[in-house]
Amino acid sequence: MELHRLTAHQLSDLIAQKKTSPKEIAQDLLKRIKKTEKKVKAFCFLDEKDVLRQCAELEKRTSHGALFGIPVVIKDNICVQGQDTTCSSRILKGFKPPYDATCVRRLKQEGAIIFAKGNMDEFAFGSSCETSCYGPTHNPWDLKRIPGGSSGGSAASVAADETILALGSDTGGSIRQPASLCGVVGFKPTYGRVSRYGLIAFASSLDQIGPLAKDVQDAAILLNVISGHDGQDSTCADVKVPDYTKALVNNVNGLRIGYPKEYFAKGLNTEVKDSVETALGLLRKLGAQVKEISLPHTGYAVADYYIIATAEASSNLARFDGVQYGHRASDFDNLLDMYAKTRGEGFGEEAKRRIILGTYALSSGYYDAYYLRALKARRLIKEDFDRAFKDCDCIVTPTSPTAAFKIGERIDNPLAMYLSDIYTISVNLAGLPAISVPCGFNEKGLPIGLQFIARAFEEEVLLRGAYTFEQNTDYHLKKPEL
Ligand code: GLN
């Protein structure tokens, strides 16, 4: 049986019926990887021996958890005790965290196999997975194209059937955009829904860990495991976690869906626009009330995000100075020189660009003009959503303005790259949950994604909308040829 083709819920059923075992699943995936990974390059670390060791441990367990025997890829910015965790950056090469991130600890408790580390844009800075110090990941649908980013390795490995599930992190779109470009499901939870303890920080007020999966049901199962209060993260909310699988109903009757007119304006590729409009038509046919809404401050979102995110990143990355973690320059004259050389050698070009931009925006002469203003604009963007949600239950938009672009196409043009997240960024600024599900293919056979956005802590509304859409379409069942 081709176990790698199946979903987590299908595999869990087979395990429960004793028709397969964690070891059989892991071995089947390792075989698959031998065939596909040299083309896709989704992983920066995979320790086969450790995977088999975990399987042997699981066989000894008396009680099974919600993810018993299910392999999960972990983005390389999420700490796994004793395993390389480098944010795909030279500066963290050799770093093995002394502890597990809370979500990894919960995965282990529930019997998941911590399978591999997913390649990513360095420190999650990017939309293409090209800024990784290990080189780019390739899109399984067209190996000459990018998989999206920054969680590109996580998304590509799910799409290529090299894993069953993956975790990504989303600061401005890094789960949803690669999910969209690789034709899988990507879920960015409400800010505070999932603990960030053990997630190496990019922009602490925006970052959130979430699932990448082959279908909406799998995303709900993984979300159940990683959600919930954690005393180790003061921004993790003490809000009751429902059983998300109960929200998987094939029914959007009466659901009020808004589509923001600003998201369908210039810059949106026509094939993407057509697919999203067809999707909205289907939702309407299935009983949803679909109407146009307005999010008037949308035009400020990208600029606003790049002030706030770079400001926070410049502060968060100050800790990488050659003293405590990873790389240290070997040849230096004094302490200052050691810092400068270590950081000069360790960070890539995009990381340096962001540290410089962020430091500038926070500097005393410019703080009021940039950072403080950006915070005010952020509030206006959030208020747009508050107003919109007065008369709709969720908002539907394209996830990305285009399908996957070619490797190298935008890497020398940061502004073009930054626009890749134009439809996902506002969600992070407002702290809301959102999901991307496959909604079509363009003429070249590249996947297109549909985004659902809901009020804070209303993940169940997203699951209901996305599940219904998925049950009435078959885009999620298509597989790339590899
Ligand atoms: N592409 C966006 C950026 O470069 C978002 C990245 C992310 O969500 N981590 O910042």
Side-chain angles (χ1 to χ4, degrees):
M1 201 185 326
E2 295 204 302
L3 296 170
H4 58 268
R5 296 257 174 221
L6 303 183
T7 60
H9 56 91
Q10 288 167 335
L11 289 169
S12 294
D13 290 347
L14 292 179
I15 294 176
Q17 297 158 17
K18 299 214 173 1
K19 288 191 180 147
T20 189
S21 67
K23 190 171 165 198
E24 227 174 68
I25 296 169
Q27 282 173 333
D28 184 69
L29 280 172
L30 291 171
K31 207 169 101 199
R32 166 78 178 165
I33 286 162
K34 294 245 149 56
K35 186 173 157 220
T36 53
E37 177 59 3
K38 50 184 183 299
K39 302 182 203 164
V40 180
K41 299 194 169 77
F43 303 141
C44 34
F45 300 100
L46 167 63
D47 181 346
E48 289 194 20
K49 270 205 202 108
D50 186 66
V51 167
L52 296 173
R53 181 196 59 76
Q54 293 182 58
C55 295
E57 291 284 308
L58 287 175
E59 321 254 286
K60 288 188 222 143
R61 274 210 197 184
T62 44
S63 66
H64 293 185
L67 289 172
F68 183 77
I70 305 298
V72 184
V73 162
I74 311 292
K75 187 176 179 181
D76 196 35
N77 58 353
I78 301 174
C79 290
V80 180
Q81 185 176 14
Q83 301 268 337
D84 291 274
T85 300
T86 69
C87 293
S88 297
S89 175
R90 276 192 302 273
I91 207 155
L92 272 173
K93 272 206 176 155
F95 175 59
K96 294 190 202 302
Y99 66 95
D100 279 328
T102 297
C103 59
V104 170
R105 182 170 55 75
R106 290 185 178 163
L107 286 176
K108 288 181 176 174
Q109 271 166 7
E110 295 299 327
I113 301 170
I114 306 302
F115 196 60
K117 297 311 285 285
N119 195 25
M120 57 184 278
D121 283 292
E122 183 178 16
F123 283 102
F125 301 153
S127 307
S128 66
C129 221
E130 292 170 288
T131 67
S132 163
C133 73
Y134 308 109
T137 293
H138 299 251
N139 191 313
W141 293 91
D142 176 349
L143 297 168
K144 287 196 278 307
R145 291 175 189 268
I146 56 100
S150 62
S151 314
S154 297
S157 61
V158 173
D161 289 321
E162 293 188 353
T163 183
I164 306 303
L165 290 170
L167 285 183
S169 69
D170 192 313
T171 307
S174 275
I175 291 175
R176 291 159 285 155
Q177 185 257 14
S180 165
L181 272 42
C182 288
V184 299
V185 175
F187 202 126
K188 183 251 171 224
T190 307
Y191 184 78
R193 176 82 295 184
V194 177
S195 170
R196 290 183 297 111
Y197 181 69
L199 168 68
I200 298 175
F202 159 5
S204 310
S205 77
L206 301 160
D207 298 342
Q208 195 63 191
I209 295 173
L212 287 129
K214 295 181 190 181
D215 67 13
V216 176
Q217 186 173 346
D218 272 12
I221 294 169
L222 183 49
L223 193 62
N224 270 350
V225 172
I226 61 173
S227 294
H229 184 240
D230 175 20
Q232 307 273 36
D233 170 7
S234 62
T235 62
C236 187
D238 196 358
V239 176
K240 201 172 163 291
V241 182
D243 176 355
Y244 288 118
T245 59
K246 295 236 165 72
L248 301 170
V249 289
N250 181 357
N251 179 359
V252 284
N253 221 345
L255 187 72
R256 297 170 308 160
I257 294 178
Y259 65 94
K261 62 171 191 249
E262 293 80 3
Y263 283 53
F264 291 82
K266 68 172 194 304
L268 177 59
N269 167 281
T270 47
E271 287 174 305
V272 176
K273 184 164 183 262
D274 290 348
S275 289
V276 172
E277 281 174 352
T278 307
L280 282 167
L282 174 63
L283 289 163
R284 189 180 276 126
K285 220 175 87 205
L286 293 168
Q289 296 166 24
V290 179
K291 60 174 165 212
E292 186 180 278
I293 58 160
S294 173
L295 299 169
H297 295 93
T298 297
Y300 300 104
V302 173
D304 196 42
Y305 169 87
Y306 277 97
I307 300 287
I308 292 171
T310 57
E312 293 188 28
S314 71
S315 164
N316 277 323
L317 267 55
R319 75 193 67 177
F320 304 109
D321 57 6
V323 177
Q324 298 187 66
Y325 315 92
H327 175 74
R328 176 184 299 168
S330 51
D331 183 25
F332 51 86
D333 297 331
N334 52 44
L335 184 62
L336 202 61
D337 195 37
M338 190 279 279
Y339 291 154
K341 286 199 174 124
T342 298
R343 288 166 69 83
E345 291 166 12
F347 289 128
E349 198 178 314
E350 182 62 23
K352 285 177 187 156
R353 180 180 297 121
R354 295 201 185 201
I355 291 169
I356 293 167
L357 254 170
T359 306
Y360 181 78
L362 288 177
S363 60
S364 62
Y366 295 98
Y367 178 94
D368 290 358
Y370 292 108
Y371 187 67
L372 194 64
R373 274 192 129 182
L375 292 181
K376 291 179 181 166
R378 180 177 189 172
R379 166 53 65 123
L380 295 175
I381 289 166
K382 181 177 176 298
E383 285 173 356
D384 279 357
F385 282 106
D386 292 344
R387 227 172 291 117
F389 282 128
K390 285 210 174 104
D391 44 28
C392 63
D393 307 308
C394 72
I395 295 173
V396 169
T397 77
T399 307
S400 160
T402 64
F405 45 94
K406 292 224 172 82
I407 291 178
E409 197 176 313
R410 295 189 193 165
I411 194 71
D412 296 322
N413 184 350
L415 288 182
M417 190 70 90
Y418 295 173
L419 288 172
S420 310
D421 288 305
I422 191 157
Y423 301 138
T424 48
I425 269 173
S426 302
V427 166
N428 301 70
L429 290 168
L432 304 175
I435 189 171
S436 177
V437 289
C439 75
F441 292 88
N442 72 6
E443 259 194 347
K444 296 196 173 79
L446 300 167
I448 296 170
L450 182 71
Q451 174 173 243
F452 291 77
I453 308 167
R455 298 184 191 96
F457 297 103
E458 292 197 358
E459 278 81 3
E460 290 154 290
V461 177
L462 298 180
L463 289 167
R464 176 182 165 202
Y467 184 74
T468 304
F469 181 75
E470 187 185 80
Q471 291 302 303
N472 290 280
T473 53
D474 63 359
Y475 306 114
H476 65 293
L477 299 174
K478 302 245 165 31
K479 300 273 186 186
E481 271 172 41
L482 273 168

PDB file of all heavy atoms in Angstrom, residues 75 124-127 149-150 169-174 202 305-306 354 418 421, ligand 1:
ATOM      1  N   LYS A  75       9.076  22.941  10.990  1.00  0.00           N
ATOM      2  CA  LYS A  75       9.832  24.037  10.365  1.00  0.00           C
ATOM      3  C   LYS A  75      11.105  24.296  11.165  1.00  0.00           C
ATOM      4  O   LYS A  75      11.084  24.199  12.403  1.00  0.00           O
ATOM      5  CB  LYS A  75       8.940  25.287  10.306  1.00  0.00           C
ATOM      6  CG  LYS A  75       9.539  26.449   9.538  1.00  0.00           C
ATOM      7  CD  LYS A  75       8.535  27.598   9.452  1.00  0.00           C
ATOM      8  CE  LYS A  75       9.087  28.797   8.717  1.00  0.00           C
ATOM      9  NZ  LYS A  75       8.128  29.920   8.640  1.00  0.00           N
ATOM     10  N   ALA A 124      12.675  33.094   8.517  1.00  0.00           N
ATOM     11  CA  ALA A 124      11.293  33.302   8.028  1.00  0.00           C
ATOM     12  C   ALA A 124      11.124  34.621   7.286  1.00  0.00           C
ATOM     13  O   ALA A 124      10.012  35.139   7.170  1.00  0.00           O
ATOM     14  CB  ALA A 124      10.272  33.165   9.166  1.00  0.00           C
ATOM     15  N   PHE A 125      12.230  35.152   6.771  1.00  0.00           N
ATOM     16  CA  PHE A 125      12.191  36.391   5.995  1.00  0.00           C
ATOM     17  C   PHE A 125      12.062  36.047   4.520  1.00  0.00           C
ATOM     18  O   PHE A 125      13.077  35.835   3.842  1.00  0.00           O
ATOM     19  CB  PHE A 125      13.483  37.198   6.166  1.00  0.00           C
ATOM     20  CG  PHE A 125      13.795  37.602   7.584  1.00  0.00           C
ATOM     21  CD1 PHE A 125      15.112  37.807   7.971  1.00  0.00           C
ATOM     22  CD2 PHE A 125      12.793  37.822   8.515  1.00  0.00           C
ATOM     23  CE1 PHE A 125      15.427  38.199   9.264  1.00  0.00           C
ATOM     24  CE2 PHE A 125      13.102  38.210   9.812  1.00  0.00           C
ATOM     25  CZ  PHE A 125      14.423  38.405  10.193  1.00  0.00           C
ATOM     26  N   GLY A 126      10.847  36.012   4.019  1.00  0.00           N
ATOM     27  CA  GLY A 126      10.725  35.774   2.586  1.00  0.00           C
ATOM     28  C   GLY A 126       9.446  35.070   2.213  1.00  0.00           C
ATOM     29  O   GLY A 126       8.674  34.628   3.065  1.00  0.00           O
ATOM     30  N   SER A 127       9.228  34.961   0.906  1.00  0.00           N
ATOM     31  CA  SER A 127       8.000  34.374   0.382  1.00  0.00           C
ATOM     32  C   SER A 127       8.312  33.321  -0.662  1.00  0.00           C
ATOM     33  O   SER A 127       7.458  32.952  -1.461  1.00  0.00           O
ATOM     34  CB  SER A 127       7.153  35.461  -0.284  1.00  0.00           C
ATOM     35  OG  SER A 127       6.963  36.522   0.599  1.00  0.00           O
ATOM     36  N   GLY A 149       6.860  30.809   0.607  1.00  0.00           N
ATOM     37  CA  GLY A 149       7.650  30.853   1.832  1.00  0.00           C
ATOM     38  C   GLY A 149       6.967  31.708   2.873  1.00  0.00           C
ATOM     39  O   GLY A 149       5.921  32.284   2.616  1.00  0.00           O
ATOM     40  N   SER A 150       7.486  31.733   4.062  1.00  0.00           N
ATOM     41  CA  SER A 150       8.777  31.135   4.331  1.00  0.00           C
ATOM     42  C   SER A 150       8.723  29.643   4.684  1.00  0.00           C
ATOM     43  O   SER A 150       9.757  28.979   4.628  1.00  0.00           O
ATOM     44  CB  SER A 150       9.428  31.886   5.489  1.00  0.00           C
ATOM     45  OG  SER A 150       8.645  31.773   6.651  1.00  0.00           O
ATOM     46  N   SER A 169       5.282  28.396  10.496  1.00  0.00           N
ATOM     47  CA  SER A 169       4.989  29.597  11.281  1.00  0.00           C
ATOM     48  C   SER A 169       4.586  30.678  10.299  1.00  0.00           C
ATOM     49  O   SER A 169       5.011  30.667   9.144  1.00  0.00           O
ATOM     50  CB  SER A 169       6.210  30.025  12.098  1.00  0.00           C
ATOM     51  OG  SER A 169       7.225  30.493  11.234  1.00  0.00           O
ATOM     52  N   ASP A 170       3.725  31.571  10.793  1.00  0.00           N
ATOM     53  CA  ASP A 170       3.121  32.566   9.901  1.00  0.00           C
ATOM     54  C   ASP A 170       3.206  33.930  10.572  1.00  0.00           C
ATOM     55  O   ASP A 170       2.582  34.158  11.609  1.00  0.00           O
ATOM     56  CB  ASP A 170       1.667  32.147   9.651  1.00  0.00           C
ATOM     57  CG  ASP A 170       0.990  32.918   8.533  1.00  0.00           C
ATOM     58  OD1 ASP A 170       1.110  34.152   8.527  1.00  0.00           O
ATOM     59  OD2 ASP A 170       0.320  32.288   7.687  1.00  0.00           O
ATOM     60  N   THR A 171       4.004  34.831  10.000  1.00  0.00           N
ATOM     61  CA  THR A 171       4.184  36.179  10.535  1.00  0.00           C
ATOM     62  C   THR A 171       3.454  37.184   9.652  1.00  0.00           C
ATOM     63  O   THR A 171       2.946  38.199  10.109  1.00  0.00           O
ATOM     64  CB  THR A 171       5.690  36.504  10.602  1.00  0.00           C
ATOM     65  OG1 THR A 171       6.332  35.466  11.323  1.00  0.00           O
ATOM     66  CG2 THR A 171       5.968  37.836  11.274  1.00  0.00           C
ATOM     67  N   GLY A 172       3.430  36.855   8.339  1.00  0.00           N
ATOM     68  CA  GLY A 172       2.733  37.722   7.387  1.00  0.00           C
ATOM     69  C   GLY A 172       2.104  36.897   6.270  1.00  0.00           C
ATOM     70  O   GLY A 172       1.647  37.452   5.269  1.00  0.00           O
ATOM     71  N   GLY A 173       2.132  35.590   6.419  1.00  0.00           N
ATOM     72  CA  GLY A 173       1.549  34.731   5.372  1.00  0.00           C
ATOM     73  C   GLY A 173       2.300  33.441   5.154  1.00  0.00           C
ATOM     74  O   GLY A 173       1.964  32.643   4.277  1.00  0.00           O
ATOM     75  N   SER A 174       3.321  33.216   5.960  1.00  0.00           N
ATOM     76  CA  SER A 174       4.267  32.125   5.696  1.00  0.00           C
ATOM     77  C   SER A 174       3.732  30.707   5.807  1.00  0.00           C
ATOM     78  O   SER A 174       4.419  29.771   5.421  1.00  0.00           O
ATOM     79  CB  SER A 174       5.467  32.253   6.616  1.00  0.00           C
ATOM     80  OG  SER A 174       6.383  33.136   6.038  1.00  0.00           O
ATOM     81  N   PHE A 202      10.673  35.915  15.102  1.00  0.00           N
ATOM     82  CA  PHE A 202      10.926  36.859  14.003  1.00  0.00           C
ATOM     83  C   PHE A 202      10.300  38.177  14.458  1.00  0.00           C
ATOM     84  O   PHE A 202      11.002  39.113  14.797  1.00  0.00           O
ATOM     85  CB  PHE A 202      10.324  36.269  12.730  1.00  0.00           C
ATOM     86  CG  PHE A 202      10.019  37.213  11.588  1.00  0.00           C
ATOM     87  CD1 PHE A 202      10.350  38.556  11.615  1.00  0.00           C
ATOM     88  CD2 PHE A 202       9.405  36.720  10.438  1.00  0.00           C
ATOM     89  CE1 PHE A 202      10.065  39.401  10.542  1.00  0.00           C
ATOM     90  CE2 PHE A 202       9.124  37.561   9.363  1.00  0.00           C
ATOM     91  CZ  PHE A 202       9.429  38.899   9.422  1.00  0.00           C
ATOM     92  N   TYR A 305       3.275  46.602   7.674  1.00  0.00           N
ATOM     93  CA  TYR A 305       3.904  45.351   8.120  1.00  0.00           C
ATOM     94  C   TYR A 305       5.428  45.440   8.062  1.00  0.00           C
ATOM     95  O   TYR A 305       6.122  44.991   8.977  1.00  0.00           O
ATOM     96  CB  TYR A 305       3.403  44.198   7.232  1.00  0.00           C
ATOM     97  CG  TYR A 305       4.152  42.900   7.404  1.00  0.00           C
ATOM     98  CD1 TYR A 305       3.781  41.978   8.376  1.00  0.00           C
ATOM     99  CD2 TYR A 305       5.236  42.590   6.584  1.00  0.00           C
ATOM    100  CE1 TYR A 305       4.464  40.778   8.525  1.00  0.00           C
ATOM    101  CE2 TYR A 305       5.929  41.392   6.721  1.00  0.00           C
ATOM    102  CZ  TYR A 305       5.539  40.498   7.697  1.00  0.00           C
ATOM    103  OH  TYR A 305       6.227  39.316   7.840  1.00  0.00           O
ATOM    104  N   TYR A 306       5.956  46.002   6.996  1.00  0.00           N
ATOM    105  CA  TYR A 306       7.422  46.011   6.863  1.00  0.00           C
ATOM    106  C   TYR A 306       8.109  46.998   7.801  1.00  0.00           C
ATOM    107  O   TYR A 306       9.312  46.928   7.983  1.00  0.00           O
ATOM    108  CB  TYR A 306       7.847  46.167   5.390  1.00  0.00           C
ATOM    109  CG  TYR A 306       7.798  44.793   4.739  1.00  0.00           C
ATOM    110  CD1 TYR A 306       6.692  44.386   4.008  1.00  0.00           C
ATOM    111  CD2 TYR A 306       8.817  43.874   4.968  1.00  0.00           C
ATOM    112  CE1 TYR A 306       6.619  43.100   3.486  1.00  0.00           C
ATOM    113  CE2 TYR A 306       8.750  42.591   4.456  1.00  0.00           C
ATOM    114  CZ  TYR A 306       7.654  42.209   3.713  1.00  0.00           C
ATOM    115  OH  TYR A 306       7.593  40.934   3.229  1.00  0.00           O
ATOM    116  N   ARG A 354      16.794  43.593   6.692  1.00  0.00           N
ATOM    117  CA  ARG A 354      15.715  43.793   7.673  1.00  0.00           C
ATOM    118  C   ARG A 354      16.238  44.351   8.992  1.00  0.00           C
ATOM    119  O   ARG A 354      15.581  45.168   9.634  1.00  0.00           O
ATOM    120  CB  ARG A 354      14.979  42.489   7.892  1.00  0.00           C
ATOM    121  CG  ARG A 354      14.286  42.086   6.603  1.00  0.00           C
ATOM    122  CD  ARG A 354      13.182  41.136   6.829  1.00  0.00           C
ATOM    123  NE  ARG A 354      12.644  40.719   5.540  1.00  0.00           N
ATOM    124  CZ  ARG A 354      11.456  40.210   5.377  1.00  0.00           C
ATOM    125  NH1 ARG A 354      10.673  40.034   6.403  1.00  0.00           N
ATOM    126  NH2 ARG A 354      11.038  39.865   4.178  1.00  0.00           N
ATOM    127  N   TYR A 418       7.978  41.390  -1.580  1.00  0.00           N
ATOM    128  CA  TYR A 418       7.135  41.777  -0.446  1.00  0.00           C
ATOM    129  C   TYR A 418       5.646  41.791  -0.829  1.00  0.00           C
ATOM    130  O   TYR A 418       4.783  41.599   0.016  1.00  0.00           O
ATOM    131  CB  TYR A 418       7.546  43.159   0.100  1.00  0.00           C
ATOM    132  CG  TYR A 418       8.941  43.213   0.720  1.00  0.00           C
ATOM    133  CD1 TYR A 418       9.499  44.423   1.117  1.00  0.00           C
ATOM    134  CD2 TYR A 418       9.690  42.052   0.912  1.00  0.00           C
ATOM    135  CE1 TYR A 418      10.778  44.487   1.689  1.00  0.00           C
ATOM    136  CE2 TYR A 418      10.962  42.106   1.469  1.00  0.00           C
ATOM    137  CZ  TYR A 418      11.508  43.325   1.853  1.00  0.00           C
ATOM    138  OH  TYR A 418      12.764  43.377   2.404  1.00  0.00           O
ATOM    139  N   ASP A 421       2.704  38.818  -0.326  1.00  0.00           N
ATOM    140  CA  ASP A 421       1.882  38.591   0.868  1.00  0.00           C
ATOM    141  C   ASP A 421       0.802  39.631   1.064  1.00  0.00           C
ATOM    142  O   ASP A 421       0.276  39.788   2.157  1.00  0.00           O
ATOM    143  CB  ASP A 421       2.783  38.537   2.100  1.00  0.00           C
ATOM    144  CG  ASP A 421       3.588  37.262   2.116  1.00  0.00           C
ATOM    145  OD1 ASP A 421       2.972  36.202   2.048  1.00  0.00           O
ATOM    146  OD2 ASP A 421       4.828  37.333   2.164  1.00  0.00           O
TER     147      ASP A 421
HETATM  148  N1  GLN B   1       6.803  37.025   3.392  1.00  0.00           N
HETATM  149  C1  GLN B   1       6.619  37.776   4.585  1.00  0.00           C
HETATM  150  C2  GLN B   1       7.950  38.322   5.019  1.00  0.00           C
HETATM  151  O1  GLN B   1       8.849  38.184   4.291  1.00  0.00           O
HETATM  152  C3  GLN B   1       6.006  36.915   5.646  1.00  0.00           C
HETATM  153  C4  GLN B   1       6.948  35.958   6.227  1.00  0.00           C
HETATM  154  C5  GLN B   1       6.364  35.163   7.339  1.00  0.00           C
HETATM  155  O2  GLN B   1       5.152  35.063   7.487  1.00  0.00           O
HETATM  156  N2  GLN B   1       7.244  34.614   8.136  1.00  0.00           N
HETATM  157  O3  GLN B   1       8.096  38.882   6.050  1.00  0.00           O
END
